[in-house]
Amino acid sequence: MQLPRGIKETLITVKYEQQAELAKALGADHVVNINNTDVREYVKDVTNGIGFDAVVETVGGAENFDTAMTIVRKQGAVVLVAGYYKPLEVNLSTIVWSEATITGSNCYGYSGMETDFEAAIELIDSGKVDATKLVTHSYPFEEIAEAFRVSADKSSGAVKGYLGPYKLCSPEKMLTMHSEIEKVLETAPPDHNHLEHNRHLDSVLINNLATHPAIIKRMASLYGPDLLLWRTNFFIKEPGAKEIPWHQDFNYWPLEPPIIISAWIAVDSATLENSCLQIVPGSHRKVVPHVKATSDMAFNQMGDLGFIDTSTIVSLEMQPGEFVLFNERTCITQKQIALINGVSV
């Protein structure tokens, strides 16, 4: 976390898990989720009852103001950055007894003759502040409404490592292509023995699917227009087939630099019952060690489950013709389709 000189320890309060992960990645010493932790008691414990030297209140509301006054040390500083849109009923005695200095900070203001925005741009442009980790989405201008919707919905997991599902084509259109795709997969490719790999090289149909404008448009909004299609795979999920273990794609693809964005397209309906793609949101922000896979897995290596938080799994159920995007470090899996008396479930 980039801090002014003299600051030795920081605490960040969050409401959503993606915020907690980002705060940790940026170097916060303490990250407190207000949904399950009493901030006042936590600060009392870690500071031996003294409180923090300075508190920056960014949320607003009487309760948060009172919390700020409770966790600041005597004669400390409280900076109010939040927008207060109506009068608050607060306990002024906390200000008297703490002897704290309270300062308002208008993030749209001026520092001398320079606006705060100009100062921020200068800091980022000079490299003194690295803001890249704060950028979770990029949208073309024509999708500005969607960008505002996502930014306003804090529970959407804006920092999550995947996007979608999006619509590539209608379910009916994808199902009409189904038989043609099967014909491709029944024909041996010209340069290797893997029926499911890199069929965009010998099939116009597969190439057109992989480079569909709906996919390229969104990839380009994230990575720019200089994109290279270097691999396609089909995952054919037969009942009783081995499970695809938790993994990060870049563990198997030694590219340099390791910058990959994958589009996972549903040719058939993808449901929990037939082993849809599952993802751990936010897992792309760290490298997960991979270990030797067990014999019931489809891959020879798998992510070490001790480093994967499976309590936040998202199951990406999709209709034919939908797709999702995820990057090379997003933890993904596809479970085995079980067999009961010869019937897949």
mmCIF file of all heavy atoms in Angstrom, residues 4-35:
data_model
loop_
_atom_site.group_PDB
_atom_site.id
_atom_site.type_symbol
_atom_site.label_atom_id
_atom_site.label_comp_id
_atom_site.label_asym_id
_atom_site.label_seq_id
_atom_site.Cartn_x
_atom_site.Cartn_y
_atom_site.Cartn_z
ATOM 1 N N PRO A 4 2.030 7.836 2.836
ATOM 2 C CA PRO A 4 2.975 8.900 3.148
ATOM 3 C C PRO A 4 4.014 8.419 4.144
ATOM 4 O O PRO A 4 3.779 7.486 4.915
ATOM 5 C CB PRO A 4 2.073 9.990 3.760
ATOM 6 C CG PRO A 4 0.702 9.680 3.269
ATOM 7 C CD PRO A 4 0.647 8.193 3.151
ATOM 8 N N ARG A 5 5.157 9.054 4.127
ATOM 9 C CA ARG A 5 6.221 8.682 5.054
ATOM 10 C C ARG A 5 5.753 8.851 6.497
ATOM 11 O O ARG A 5 5.042 9.784 6.836
ATOM 12 C CB ARG A 5 7.457 9.550 4.808
ATOM 13 C CG ARG A 5 8.136 9.274 3.469
ATOM 14 C CD ARG A 5 9.340 10.179 3.282
ATOM 15 N NE ARG A 5 9.973 9.949 1.991
ATOM 16 C CZ ARG A 5 11.012 10.648 1.538
ATOM 17 N NH1 ARG A 5 11.513 11.627 2.282
ATOM 18 N NH2 ARG A 5 11.525 10.375 0.367
ATOM 19 N N GLY A 6 6.184 7.940 7.338
ATOM 20 C CA GLY A 6 5.853 8.032 8.752
ATOM 21 C C GLY A 6 4.710 7.129 9.164
ATOM 22 O O GLY A 6 4.546 6.843 10.343
ATOM 23 N N ILE A 7 3.900 6.675 8.209
ATOM 24 C CA ILE A 7 2.801 5.772 8.544
ATOM 25 C C ILE A 7 3.342 4.350 8.600
ATOM 26 O O ILE A 7 3.902 3.843 7.636
ATOM 27 C CB ILE A 7 1.662 5.876 7.518
ATOM 28 C CG1 ILE A 7 1.030 7.267 7.585
ATOM 29 C CG2 ILE A 7 0.608 4.804 7.769
ATOM 30 C CD1 ILE A 7 -0.123 7.468 6.641
ATOM 31 N N LYS A 8 3.169 3.709 9.745
ATOM 32 C CA LYS A 8 3.768 2.398 9.960
ATOM 33 C C LYS A 8 2.756 1.259 9.909
ATOM 34 O O LYS A 8 3.120 0.123 9.647
ATOM 35 C CB LYS A 8 4.492 2.381 11.311
ATOM 36 C CG LYS A 8 5.655 3.366 11.400
ATOM 37 C CD LYS A 8 6.319 3.300 12.764
ATOM 38 C CE LYS A 8 7.486 4.276 12.855
ATOM 39 N NZ LYS A 8 8.130 4.239 14.193
ATOM 40 N N GLU A 9 1.498 1.544 10.194
ATOM 41 C CA GLU A 9 0.516 0.465 10.273
ATOM 42 C C GLU A 9 -0.843 0.992 9.831
ATOM 43 O O GLU A 9 -1.235 2.105 10.180
ATOM 44 C CB GLU A 9 0.436 -0.064 11.707
ATOM 45 C CG GLU A 9 -0.278 -1.384 11.847
ATOM 46 C CD GLU A 9 -0.078 -1.980 13.239
ATOM 47 O OE1 GLU A 9 0.488 -1.293 14.111
ATOM 48 O OE2 GLU A 9 -0.491 -3.132 13.440
ATOM 49 N N THR A 10 -1.548 0.177 9.049
ATOM 50 C CA THR A 10 -2.841 0.613 8.522
ATOM 51 C C THR A 10 -3.919 -0.433 8.782
ATOM 52 O O THR A 10 -3.648 -1.633 8.833
ATOM 53 C CB THR A 10 -2.769 0.847 7.000
ATOM 54 O OG1 THR A 10 -2.339 -0.360 6.366
ATOM 55 C CG2 THR A 10 -1.827 1.977 6.661
ATOM 56 N N LEU A 11 -5.140 0.048 8.933
ATOM 57 C CA LEU A 11 -6.311 -0.810 9.066
ATOM 58 C C LEU A 11 -7.359 -0.331 8.071
ATOM 59 O O LEU A 11 -7.636 0.865 7.981
ATOM 60 C CB LEU A 11 -6.866 -0.766 10.486
ATOM 61 C CG LEU A 11 -8.128 -1.600 10.766
ATOM 62 C CD1 LEU A 11 -8.092 -2.158 12.180
ATOM 63 C CD2 LEU A 11 -9.409 -0.787 10.563
ATOM 64 N N ILE A 12 -7.930 -1.258 7.331
ATOM 65 C CA ILE A 12 -8.972 -0.952 6.354
ATOM 66 C C ILE A 12 -10.237 -1.709 6.744
ATOM 67 O O ILE A 12 -10.175 -2.903 7.055
ATOM 68 C CB ILE A 12 -8.554 -1.371 4.929
ATOM 69 C CG1 ILE A 12 -7.207 -0.763 4.546
ATOM 70 C CG2 ILE A 12 -9.633 -0.987 3.916
ATOM 71 C CD1 ILE A 12 -7.218 0.730 4.388
ATOM 72 N N THR A 13 -11.377 -1.036 6.740
ATOM 73 C CA THR A 13 -12.640 -1.735 6.958
ATOM 74 C C THR A 13 -13.317 -1.954 5.609
ATOM 75 O O THR A 13 -13.267 -1.096 4.725
ATOM 76 C CB THR A 13 -13.582 -0.942 7.881
ATOM 77 O OG1 THR A 13 -13.878 0.323 7.290
ATOM 78 C CG2 THR A 13 -12.953 -0.735 9.243
ATOM 79 N N VAL A 14 -13.941 -3.121 5.454
ATOM 80 C CA VAL A 14 -14.585 -3.478 4.192
ATOM 81 C C VAL A 14 -15.939 -4.110 4.477
ATOM 82 O O VAL A 14 -16.227 -4.533 5.600
ATOM 83 C CB VAL A 14 -13.719 -4.468 3.376
ATOM 84 C CG1 VAL A 14 -12.366 -3.866 3.053
ATOM 85 C CG2 VAL A 14 -13.561 -5.790 4.117
ATOM 86 N N LYS A 15 -16.740 -4.197 3.426
ATOM 87 C CA LYS A 15 -18.048 -4.840 3.528
ATOM 88 C C LYS A 15 -18.136 -6.076 2.647
ATOM 89 O O LYS A 15 -18.906 -6.992 2.921
ATOM 90 C CB LYS A 15 -19.142 -3.844 3.134
ATOM 91 C CG LYS A 15 -20.562 -4.329 3.396
ATOM 92 C CD LYS A 15 -21.573 -3.233 3.088
ATOM 93 C CE LYS A 15 -22.994 -3.716 3.370
ATOM 94 N NZ LYS A 15 -23.997 -2.655 3.077
ATOM 95 N N TYR A 16 -17.332 -6.111 1.572
ATOM 96 C CA TYR A 16 -17.392 -7.209 0.622
ATOM 97 C C TYR A 16 -16.039 -7.897 0.520
ATOM 98 O O TYR A 16 -14.986 -7.272 0.690
ATOM 99 C CB TYR A 16 -17.825 -6.706 -0.761
ATOM 100 C CG TYR A 16 -19.176 -6.039 -0.749
ATOM 101 C CD1 TYR A 16 -19.289 -4.650 -0.760
ATOM 102 C CD2 TYR A 16 -20.336 -6.800 -0.695
ATOM 103 C CE1 TYR A 16 -20.533 -4.036 -0.732
ATOM 104 C CE2 TYR A 16 -21.583 -6.193 -0.667
ATOM 105 C CZ TYR A 16 -21.680 -4.815 -0.687
ATOM 106 O OH TYR A 16 -22.908 -4.211 -0.646
ATOM 107 N N GLU A 17 -16.080 -9.194 0.212
ATOM 108 C CA GLU A 17 -14.860 -9.991 0.202
ATOM 109 C C GLU A 17 -13.876 -9.503 -0.851
ATOM 110 O O GLU A 17 -12.663 -9.510 -0.624
ATOM 111 C CB GLU A 17 -15.206 -11.466 -0.048
ATOM 112 C CG GLU A 17 -14.011 -12.405 0.043
ATOM 113 C CD GLU A 17 -13.313 -12.342 1.388
ATOM 114 O OE1 GLU A 17 -13.994 -12.107 2.411
ATOM 115 O OE2 GLU A 17 -12.077 -12.511 1.414
ATOM 116 N N GLN A 18 -14.367 -9.067 -2.019
ATOM 117 C CA GLN A 18 -13.440 -8.601 -3.043
ATOM 118 C C GLN A 18 -12.686 -7.359 -2.581
ATOM 119 O O GLN A 18 -11.533 -7.133 -2.957
ATOM 120 C CB GLN A 18 -14.165 -8.331 -4.371
ATOM 121 C CG GLN A 18 -15.132 -7.157 -4.365
ATOM 122 C CD GLN A 18 -16.545 -7.587 -4.047
ATOM 123 O OE1 GLN A 18 -16.745 -8.663 -3.491
ATOM 124 N NE2 GLN A 18 -17.524 -6.778 -4.416
ATOM 125 N N GLN A 19 -13.339 -6.535 -1.738
ATOM 126 C CA GLN A 19 -12.655 -5.372 -1.184
ATOM 127 C C GLN A 19 -11.557 -5.805 -0.217
ATOM 128 O O GLN A 19 -10.469 -5.219 -0.187
ATOM 129 C CB GLN A 19 -13.667 -4.473 -0.467
ATOM 130 C CG GLN A 19 -14.727 -3.877 -1.376
ATOM 131 C CD GLN A 19 -15.835 -3.181 -0.608
ATOM 132 O OE1 GLN A 19 -16.097 -3.504 0.557
ATOM 133 N NE2 GLN A 19 -16.499 -2.229 -1.238
ATOM 134 N N ALA A 20 -11.849 -6.844 0.559
ATOM 135 C CA ALA A 20 -10.855 -7.351 1.508
ATOM 136 C C ALA A 20 -9.624 -7.885 0.784
ATOM 137 O O ALA A 20 -8.481 -7.611 1.172
ATOM 138 C CB ALA A 20 -11.473 -8.449 2.379
ATOM 139 N N GLU A 21 -9.852 -8.652 -0.281
ATOM 140 C CA GLU A 21 -8.734 -9.216 -1.031
ATOM 141 C C GLU A 21 -7.876 -8.116 -1.646
ATOM 142 O O GLU A 21 -6.646 -8.197 -1.657
ATOM 143 C CB GLU A 21 -9.261 -10.154 -2.117
ATOM 144 C CG GLU A 21 -9.897 -11.427 -1.591
ATOM 145 C CD GLU A 21 -8.899 -12.318 -0.875
ATOM 146 O OE1 GLU A 21 -7.708 -12.284 -1.241
ATOM 147 O OE2 GLU A 21 -9.296 -13.038 0.047
ATOM 148 N N LEU A 22 -8.526 -7.075 -2.166
ATOM 149 C CA LEU A 22 -7.778 -5.981 -2.777
ATOM 150 C C LEU A 22 -6.986 -5.213 -1.724
ATOM 151 O O LEU A 22 -5.822 -4.846 -1.951
ATOM 152 C CB LEU A 22 -8.736 -5.037 -3.504
ATOM 153 C CG LEU A 22 -8.084 -3.853 -4.236
ATOM 154 C CD1 LEU A 22 -7.064 -4.342 -5.251
ATOM 155 C CD2 LEU A 22 -9.146 -2.997 -4.910
ATOM 156 N N ALA A 23 -7.588 -4.973 -0.560
ATOM 157 C CA ALA A 23 -6.880 -4.268 0.510
ATOM 158 C C ALA A 23 -5.639 -5.040 0.939
ATOM 159 O O ALA A 23 -4.565 -4.463 1.164
ATOM 160 C CB ALA A 23 -7.817 -4.050 1.698
ATOM 161 N N LYS A 24 -5.770 -6.361 1.032
ATOM 162 C CA LYS A 24 -4.614 -7.192 1.392
ATOM 163 C C LYS A 24 -3.537 -7.115 0.313
ATOM 164 O O LYS A 24 -2.347 -7.011 0.608
ATOM 165 C CB LYS A 24 -5.059 -8.642 1.586
ATOM 166 C CG LYS A 24 -5.956 -8.869 2.791
ATOM 167 C CD LYS A 24 -6.476 -10.305 2.817
ATOM 168 C CE LYS A 24 -7.475 -10.516 3.939
ATOM 169 N NZ LYS A 24 -8.068 -11.883 3.904
ATOM 170 N N ALA A 25 -3.978 -7.170 -0.952
ATOM 171 C CA ALA A 25 -3.018 -7.120 -2.056
ATOM 172 C C ALA A 25 -2.269 -5.799 -2.091
ATOM 173 O O ALA A 25 -1.107 -5.740 -2.501
ATOM 174 C CB ALA A 25 -3.742 -7.353 -3.384
ATOM 175 N N LEU A 26 -2.925 -4.731 -1.656
ATOM 176 C CA LEU A 26 -2.297 -3.413 -1.650
ATOM 177 C C LEU A 26 -1.441 -3.181 -0.409
ATOM 178 O O LEU A 26 -0.791 -2.152 -0.291
ATOM 179 C CB LEU A 26 -3.366 -2.325 -1.760
ATOM 180 C CG LEU A 26 -4.087 -2.245 -3.118
ATOM 181 C CD1 LEU A 26 -5.259 -1.278 -3.039
ATOM 182 C CD2 LEU A 26 -3.128 -1.819 -4.214
ATOM 183 N N GLY A 27 -1.467 -4.125 0.533
ATOM 184 C CA GLY A 27 -0.541 -4.052 1.657
ATOM 185 C C GLY A 27 -1.103 -3.605 2.982
ATOM 186 O O GLY A 27 -0.342 -3.259 3.897
ATOM 187 N N ALA A 28 -2.427 -3.597 3.152
ATOM 188 C CA ALA A 28 -3.000 -3.207 4.443
ATOM 189 C C ALA A 28 -2.559 -4.185 5.526
ATOM 190 O O ALA A 28 -2.524 -5.398 5.314
ATOM 191 C CB ALA A 28 -4.524 -3.173 4.356
ATOM 192 N N ASP A 29 -2.223 -3.660 6.700
ATOM 193 C CA ASP A 29 -1.788 -4.515 7.807
ATOM 194 C C ASP A 29 -2.965 -5.236 8.457
ATOM 195 O O ASP A 29 -2.841 -6.378 8.897
ATOM 196 C CB ASP A 29 -1.064 -3.670 8.860
ATOM 197 C CG ASP A 29 0.175 -2.997 8.299
ATOM 198 O OD1 ASP A 29 1.125 -3.721 7.957
ATOM 199 O OD2 ASP A 29 0.183 -1.763 8.184
ATOM 200 N N HIS A 30 -4.106 -4.562 8.537
ATOM 201 C CA HIS A 30 -5.305 -5.146 9.132
ATOM 202 C C HIS A 30 -6.480 -4.898 8.190
ATOM 203 O O HIS A 30 -6.683 -3.775 7.728
ATOM 204 C CB HIS A 30 -5.617 -4.516 10.497
ATOM 205 C CG HIS A 30 -4.484 -4.562 11.471
ATOM 206 N ND1 HIS A 30 -4.253 -5.640 12.296
ATOM 207 C CD2 HIS A 30 -3.505 -3.656 11.741
ATOM 208 C CE1 HIS A 30 -3.189 -5.398 13.045
ATOM 209 N NE2 HIS A 30 -2.717 -4.208 12.723
ATOM 210 N N VAL A 31 -7.237 -5.939 7.903
ATOM 211 C CA VAL A 31 -8.447 -5.809 7.086
ATOM 212 C C VAL A 31 -9.610 -6.357 7.900
ATOM 213 O O VAL A 31 -9.616 -7.529 8.276
ATOM 214 C CB VAL A 31 -8.320 -6.566 5.753
ATOM 215 C CG1 VAL A 31 -9.602 -6.417 4.943
ATOM 216 C CG2 VAL A 31 -7.127 -6.049 4.952
ATOM 217 N N VAL A 32 -10.585 -5.504 8.180
ATOM 218 C CA VAL A 32 -11.697 -5.877 9.052
ATOM 219 C C VAL A 32 -12.997 -5.838 8.263
ATOM 220 O O VAL A 32 -13.369 -4.795 7.712
ATOM 221 C CB VAL A 32 -11.797 -4.918 10.262
ATOM 222 C CG1 VAL A 32 -13.008 -5.272 11.121
ATOM 223 C CG2 VAL A 32 -10.518 -4.972 11.083
ATOM 224 N N ASN A 33 -13.670 -6.973 8.199
ATOM 225 C CA ASN A 33 -14.978 -7.044 7.544
ATOM 226 C C ASN A 33 -16.046 -6.674 8.566
ATOM 227 O O ASN A 33 -16.235 -7.374 9.568
ATOM 228 C CB ASN A 33 -15.222 -8.450 6.996
ATOM 229 C CG ASN A 33 -16.445 -8.510 6.094
ATOM 230 O OD1 ASN A 33 -17.490 -7.929 6.396
ATOM 231 N ND2 ASN A 33 -16.320 -9.218 4.983
ATOM 232 N N ILE A 34 -16.750 -5.590 8.322
ATOM 233 C CA ILE A 34 -17.712 -5.087 9.304
ATOM 234 C C ILE A 34 -18.922 -6.002 9.453
ATOM 235 O O ILE A 34 -19.701 -5.856 10.402
ATOM 236 C CB ILE A 34 -18.188 -3.669 8.933
ATOM 237 C CG1 ILE A 34 -18.901 -3.675 7.572
ATOM 238 C CG2 ILE A 34 -17.024 -2.691 8.940
ATOM 239 C CD1 ILE A 34 -19.549 -2.346 7.230
ATOM 240 N N ASN A 35 -19.083 -6.956 8.529
ATOM 241 C CA ASN A 35 -20.220 -7.872 8.623
ATOM 242 C C ASN A 35 -20.053 -8.888 9.746
ATOM 243 O O ASN A 35 -21.042 -9.421 10.253
ATOM 244 C CB ASN A 35 -20.413 -8.617 7.300
ATOM 245 C CG ASN A 35 -20.819 -7.692 6.174
ATOM 246 O OD1 ASN A 35 -21.677 -6.840 6.344
ATOM 247 N ND2 ASN A 35 -20.188 -7.848 5.019
#
